[in-house]
Amino acid sequence: MTQTLERQAGGLYVQTPSQEQIAFPLKHTEVQAKIAGNISRVEVTQSFENPFTTTLEAVYIFPLPDEAAVDDMLIRIGDRTIQGSIKKRQEAQQIYEQAKQQGRTAGLLEQERDNIFTQSLANIKPGEQIDVIIRYTESLKFDGGNYEFVFPMVVGPRYIPGTTIEEDTTGYGSADAPMMQNQDTDLVPDASRLNAPILPMGTRSRHDINVTVEIDAGVEIQDIQSPSHQIQITYKGQVVLVKLGGGDTIPNKDLILRYQVANNSTQATVLTQADERGGHFALYLIPALQYRPEQVVPKDVVFLIDTSGSQMGAPLMQCQELMRRFINGLNLDDTFSIIDFSNTTRQLSPVPLANTPQNRTRAINYVNKLNASGGTEMLRGIRAVLNFPVTDPGRLRSIVLLTDGYIGNENQILSEVKQHLQAGNRLYSFGAGSSVNRFLLNRIAELGRGIARIIRHDEPTDEVVDKFFRQINNPVLANINLQWEGDGESPIIYPSTPPDLFAEQPLVLFGRKLGDRNGKLHITGIAAGGTRYQHTFDLNFENTGNPAIAQLWGRSRIKDLMNQMVSGETKSGVEAVTNTALAYQLLSQYTAFVAVSDDVRVDSTQGSVSVQVPVEMPEGINHQGIFGGAVYAAPAAGARVRQRRLAQPPQALMSPPSPAQAMPPSKETESLIIQRQSLYIDDAYPPALNVGSGLSEIDQYDLELLKPSVIESDEIDAELARMSPVQRLQVVSVTGLDQQLIYLLTQYLQSIQLPTGFNGNLVFEFQVNKGRVKQVVLDEQASTCQEQTVIEIIRRSLLTWRPLQKLTSIVILTIQIQS
């Protein structure tokens, strides 16, 4: 029977004589989780199958928990198991590509964000099934005795802001798709690795998922429930087995499992482990703080609500319900206001409003009229709320963000919060939906010294709101200090600066000390009314301890180091993350797992189809909100002959401009336009290559199109007044490029206009690969200029530079800036 491959929305299709059906390389996902006390150990098995008559490469973008310590990957072919090994990411990519070219079966597991991963599996034979097994450890979240286990199942569509680096050939960049695009930009240079193709509305894949969770808390477990899924519960003494219900196996929403334990054992718990790397410990503490209602401090609450297209329907309705309850739950002495954002920002009032019946009615009417549409320009909203006027400095400013977090420029948002949130202010995040961006919401709350709460779009809101007000109204445990008593150096503890604690919120610390000498850790702080709080933990390190503790410390260190680089990657930071990940065998943004078969399994001279696995739209998300008026809600799934690009005329490769780009630039913006050349390879259109079904492709040809780039004025408004042509940028030295490219790079950089008043040297290290600049890292120790705005402008400009040569090189660039 002849099969025909056809490139269409959402995947590769198999054409049979009787019907056309979509083909899915990912067949099934099996999840096995074992929970012991506060720690879960999870094994994820992804089963890929090749339904075609030619060799297949499958690429799958999927989520894992944002604080998961991923420490193992292997592939299983029949009765053979191939163990993966951790490598530096670039080295792992090279090993994978070489194995693919040789005809060996290979698997590559990479991390794009803390909660977004890419699994690539090369050289799957026709009709063959290959399993990829991933293992990770995670510390469960809990408040008091209430535990929560979460397994995410789908990556929601990410909105990508910024100036496009290269042309879009995926179909995401449609003007009818305000939310969804897959083009790399200067703000999100890895955007093409974040968004998987989404199935058209009404289309269902055959990919299903099964989850089994075994809970052994050491005590009786009670009140097990899931607000997200139908579950089956089996009791075996103190061990509980939880499985998904038979009719709830579509991977389109986070699995949320909640339960309680029968005593207060979680009030104070310490777990230890020791090996050749030192003594590791995990510490869990929930202070039993007493408070009186008269100690509640008057607050100034500013609500920031996401009204972009992804919020259309159930998510926005849930946020509106939350807002109504928030407004009615404020204390009488509180003040408040509301800001909402999508492509633009709007506000209820220019200053905080008193909490009167009239103002509450006015606010609720404002909330009821909100509509969802447009892109998620969250930076505009964050800047608006951080700069919102303060009329009473005596009030505690509390910012409450409501969003699904569907953006790709998370670090830009986190950097803004880290740099500009005023001391004493708090930022709380609420995610409403079935598959929200927990990474962003959790990190915003951490950097904002607040708390994060995730609520499904169909969950009751009253309990969540009541608990929120109990926490922010009650006194916190502040000025937390840690002191080590014992032999040897003090342990390295994360988070490095313990956060203030709200009522009922646990303190979770991970530490490591050199050697395994025992000691005591004293925790002190100031509770309500100035009362001194103190608690002491005895730390006894045992070689027979739980090895997961070491992995969790390594993961916590990586998280802390990455938080320090939200404003941009630094050489020392990247090296520290890489070294930690390699020492603890952990996946990170700079390391990857790779597994390769010993034998050559396919003929590398024959054609090979590569397909990106299409995914479900997250439950409750409206297709129209993501894709606008598009008939089909998904781009093509990336079917291609290995190392070849679709043959299209230049006009087809240039996506329509975004609404922001289509508007006439202001005079200020015009002064920031970087003049570039537009050129392309003369012989870019040889005879098309037909592959079975008529897939027209170009063999080894790439269109070079350097489009004019505008540095968006809203990114550097504060610096426009200081722009001056007298600012001079000189290229001091370049290694890794030939003289022609050094000349072109120098000309390019000298066309950039920078804010004046800054002097010094900047040293950058970056990769040039296939005509693209990637991973621009600042050598902060060799640089003397510390102005973040200047660094960011140059970094983004380097990312949009397009070398004409297809070289692969590591470039070290030294720049001198003089006013």
Side-chain angles (χ1 to χ4, degrees):
M1 179 172 59
T2 302
Q3 293 183 330
T4 304
L5 304 184
E6 189 172 340
R7 186 180 190 271
Q8 294 190 22
L12 284 175
Y13 288 73
V14 177
Q15 181 70 50
T16 66
S18 59
Q19 62 179 348
E20 179 185 75
Q21 60 182 13
I22 193 167
F24 299 96
L26 181 59
K27 182 179 179 181
H28 178 72
T29 297
E30 186 73 25
V31 181
Q32 297 277 347
K34 291 188 177 182
I35 299 174
N38 304 312
I39 297 173
S40 64
R41 182 65 176 170
V42 184
E43 180 177 285
V44 181
T45 303
Q46 299 166 345
S47 297
F48 294 88
E49 185 179 68
N50 183 356
F52 310 122
T53 56
T54 187
T55 302
L56 174 69
E57 178 189 33
V59 180
Y60 177 39
I61 298 174
F62 66 99
L64 289 175
D66 61 283
E67 297 198 10
V70 182
D71 58 13
D72 196 17
M73 185 273 274
L74 50 91
I75 58 178
R76 185 169 57 212
I77 309 172
D79 57 358
R80 283 194 302 160
T81 298
I82 304 169
Q83 181 66 51
S85 57
I86 192 80
K87 303 285 185 183
K88 291 183 179 180
R89 187 168 182 174
Q90 190 174 15
E91 180 184 357
Q93 291 170 341
Q94 292 171 349
I95 293 172
Y96 175 81
E97 289 297 328
Q98 183 179 24
K100 184 169 67 171
Q101 298 296 335
Q102 292 172 342
R104 304 178 191 275
T105 295
L108 178 67
L109 177 62
E110 301 171 271
Q111 177 183 313
E112 317 301 344
R113 297 289 186 273
D114 283 23
N115 60 340
I116 301 179
F117 301 80
T118 300
Q119 178 65 62
S120 302
L121 192 59
N123 292 328
I124 311 173
K125 291 181 178 180
E128 181 178 56
Q129 176 177 312
I130 297 180
D131 296 333
V132 176
I133 300 169
I134 302 165
R135 299 188 179 109
Y136 68 85
T137 298
E138 185 184 22
S139 178
L140 263 62
K141 296 187 182 300
F142 66 98
D143 280 344
N146 299 306
Y147 284 78
E148 183 176 82
F149 171 83
V150 176
F151 183 80
M153 297 186 182
V154 65
V155 176
R158 300 302 197 252
Y159 173 77
I160 308 299
T163 301
T164 302
I165 293 176
E166 64 178 348
E167 69 279 359
D168 177 26
T169 62
T170 65
Y172 283 104
S174 169
D176 290 329
M179 275 289 299
M180 191 75 164
Q181 61 172 323
N182 215 30
Q183 298 167 275
D184 293 340
T185 71
D186 57 343
L187 291 179
V188 193
D190 60 347
S192 57
R193 300 184 63 86
L194 301 181
N195 281 324
I198 292 179
L199 290 169
M201 191 185 312
T203 303
R204 174 72 184 94
S205 79
R206 63 171 184 160
H207 172 214
D208 65 349
I209 189 167
N210 183 55
V211 182
T212 302
V213 182
E214 180 183 295
I215 308 172
D216 185 359
V219 294
E220 182 184 350
I221 301 168
Q222 57 192 22
D223 195 22
I224 303 173
Q225 57 178 307
S226 172
S228 62
H229 286 75
Q230 304 170 27
I231 56 175
Q232 300 173 348
I233 305 172
T234 304
Y235 293 88
K236 295 181 180 179
Q238 292 185 346
V239 177
V240 178
L241 203 64
V242 181
K243 293 185 177 182
L244 291 188
D248 207 355
T249 60
I250 301 174
N252 65 344
K253 54 189 173 183
D254 293 353
L255 167 64
I256 303 172
L257 186 65
R258 296 171 182 153
Y259 61 93
Q260 295 179 344
V261 295
N263 62 15
N264 294 324
S265 63
T266 59
Q267 294 298 308
T269 304
V270 62
L271 304 172
T272 62
Q273 180 266 350
D275 57 27
E276 67 279 0
R277 297 168 297 192
H280 302 85
F281 62 87
L283 180 153
Y284 303 83
L285 172 67
I286 302 178
L289 300 177
Q290 300 295 323
Y291 68 96
R292 297 188 302 273
E294 61 267 23
Q295 293 173 322
V296 173
V297 177
K299 302 180 301 300
D300 174 30
V301 185
V302 184
F303 298 99
L304 178 62
I305 182 170
D306 180 356
T307 56
S308 63
S310 63
Q311 293 279 95
M312 183 179 291
L316 179 60
M317 293 173 62
Q318 184 73 306
C319 286
Q320 289 172 311
E321 177 60 20
L322 282 168
M323 284 294 304
R324 288 189 285 265
R325 290 188 175 274
F326 282 141
I327 293 166
N328 287 323
L330 292 168
N331 296 323
L332 292 178
D333 292 334
D334 293 340
T335 57
F336 72 96
S337 190
I338 301 170
I339 299 173
D340 63 284
F341 69 91
S342 54
N343 286 335
T344 59
T345 58
R346 295 156 295 273
Q347 59 189 25
L348 170 65
S349 63
V351 294
L353 300 175
N355 186 15
T356 65
Q358 295 83 358
N359 283 336
R360 288 197 299 273
T361 299
R362 175 184 170 187
I364 290 174
N365 287 337
Y366 182 89
V367 169
N368 291 342
K369 294 178 181 178
L370 292 174
N371 292 307
S373 64
T376 315
E377 293 289 344
M378 187 178 292
L379 185 62
R380 297 176 188 269
I382 289 291
R383 284 178 170 165
V385 78
L386 292 177
N387 293 314
F388 194 72
V390 174
T391 56
D392 184 354
R395 294 178 181 274
L396 175 66
R397 167 64 61 85
S398 297
I399 299 169
V400 179
L401 169 66
L402 297 93
T403 180
D404 53 26
Y406 284 170
I407 59 172
N409 60 322
E410 290 100 331
N411 275 354
Q412 193 180 25
I413 305 302
L414 299 178
S415 177
E416 195 73 17
V417 172
K418 185 176 182 179
Q419 294 184 56
H420 300 296
L421 184 70
Q422 295 297 315
N425 291 356
R426 297 288 185 269
L427 198 162
Y428 309 91
S429 60
F430 279 77
S434 67
S435 309
V436 301
N437 186 353
R438 292 172 182 263
F439 160 60
L440 176 65
L441 292 162
N442 288 335
R443 295 301 182 274
I444 282 181
E446 290 171 11
L447 294 176
R449 301 184 293 277
I451 54 178
R453 288 284 179 265
I454 310 298
I455 180 171
R456 280 180 51 83
H457 56 285
D458 51 6
E459 272 191 275
T461 59
D462 49 355
E463 183 178 345
V464 173
V465 173
D466 291 345
K467 187 171 185 178
F468 170 71
F469 278 118
R470 285 202 308 272
Q471 292 184 315
I472 70 169
N473 284 333
N474 297 348
V476 299
L477 179 64
N479 300 326
I480 296 174
N481 184 55
L482 308 175
Q483 186 175 3
W484 171 254
E485 178 187 344
D487 296 333
E489 297 181 4
S490 298
I492 301 173
I493 297 175
Y494 296 106
S496 52
T497 302
D500 293 345
L501 295 189
F502 298 88
E504 305 178 23
Q505 185 184 24
L507 175 66
V508 182
L509 301 173
F510 296 98
R512 187 201 74 176
K513 69 179 299 292
L514 296 177
D516 56 359
R517 301 295 293 273
N518 299 335
K520 294 183 178 182
L521 186 66
H522 303 285
I523 300 176
T524 60
I526 304 300
T531 305
R532 179 178 172 81
Y533 178 89
Q534 182 172 350
H535 194 100
T536 298
F537 284 92
D538 291 317
L539 298 179
N540 300 303
F541 298 101
E542 300 179 3
N543 292 326
T544 57
N546 190 338
I549 304 305
Q551 302 303 93
L552 290 173
W553 179 85
R555 181 67 188 86
S556 298
R557 173 170 167 77
I558 291 172
K559 172 184 169 183
D560 189 87
L561 291 167
M562 294 301 294
N563 282 346
Q564 295 176 35
M565 292 194 292
V566 291
S567 297
E569 294 169 306
T570 62
K571 185 176 181 181
S572 62
V574 170
E575 289 177 351
V577 170
T578 303
N579 292 337
T580 302
L582 292 174
Y584 286 83
Q585 299 289 291
L586 294 174
L587 194 63
S588 72
Q589 285 189 235
Y590 309 118
T591 54
F593 278 100
V594 61
V596 178
S597 68
D598 291 331
D599 57 327
V600 174
R601 306 187 68 248
V602 302
D603 184 352
S604 60
T605 64
Q606 299 298 315
S608 174
V609 173
S610 180
V611 61
Q612 195 169 7
V613 175
V615 300
E616 305 279 347
M617 178 69 81
E619 182 186 72
I621 299 299
N622 190 297
H623 276 74
Q624 185 179 356
I626 300 296
F627 298 102
V631 176
Y632 278 100
R640 64 187 185 277
V641 171
R642 184 184 301 155
Q643 295 187 337
R644 291 166 180 166
R645 179 170 293 177
L646 292 176
Q648 301 181 63
Q651 295 84 353
L653 291 174
M654 296 178 62
S655 61
S658 66
Q661 294 170 327
M663 294 179 63
S666 64
K667 292 182 180 179
E668 293 85 359
T669 304
E670 286 178 342
S671 69
L672 297 175
I673 295 179
I674 301 171
Q675 299 297 329
R676 302 185 187 178
Q677 293 179 321
S678 294
L679 49 90
Y680 54 89
I681 298 173
D682 291 335
D683 190 23
Y685 303 103
L689 176 68
N690 295 319
V691 184
S693 64
L695 289 175
S696 298
E697 311 211 358
I698 302 173
D699 187 18
Q700 305 295 339
Y701 285 87
D702 281 324
L703 181 68
E704 292 289 347
L705 189 60
L706 309 184
K707 296 183 286 185
S709 173
V710 178
I711 298 179
E712 297 173 354
S713 60
D714 68 322
E715 300 298 321
I716 51 175
D717 280 340
E719 305 299 330
L720 284 171
R722 294 192 287 173
M723 293 291 185
S724 170
V726 301
Q727 180 77 44
R728 297 182 62 190
L729 182 154
Q730 296 294 331
V731 174
V732 176
S733 65
V734 182
T735 63
L737 299 178
D738 62 25
Q739 290 301 314
Q740 180 186 8
L741 284 179
I742 291 175
Y743 173 78
L744 292 174
L745 177 59
T746 301
Q747 293 292 105
Y748 176 83
L749 290 173
Q750 288 181 342
S751 71
I752 301 172
Q753 296 211 14
L754 299 172
T756 60
F758 304 105
N759 296 284
N761 289 348
L762 289 172
V763 181
F764 292 98
E765 183 175 310
F766 56 88
Q767 301 173 18
V768 176
N769 187 17
K770 297 180 181 178
R772 279 282 305 275
V773 172
K774 298 184 178 181
Q775 195 177 339
V776 179
V777 176
L778 175 71
D779 187 339
E780 75 279 26
Q781 296 180 351
S783 300
T784 58
C785 177
Q786 304 297 323
E787 175 53 37
Q788 191 59 45
T789 302
V790 174
I791 295 170
E792 181 63 11
I793 291 174
I794 296 174
R795 188 194 303 269
R796 288 173 57 183
S797 297
L798 285 170
L799 286 168
T800 57
W801 182 55
R802 298 296 304 278
L804 304 183
Q805 298 179 16
K806 295 298 187 181
L807 79 163
T808 297
S809 178
I810 301 296
V811 179
I812 299 177
L813 167 70
T814 302
I815 298 171
Q816 184 180 65
I817 298 172
Q818 295 177 329
S819 294

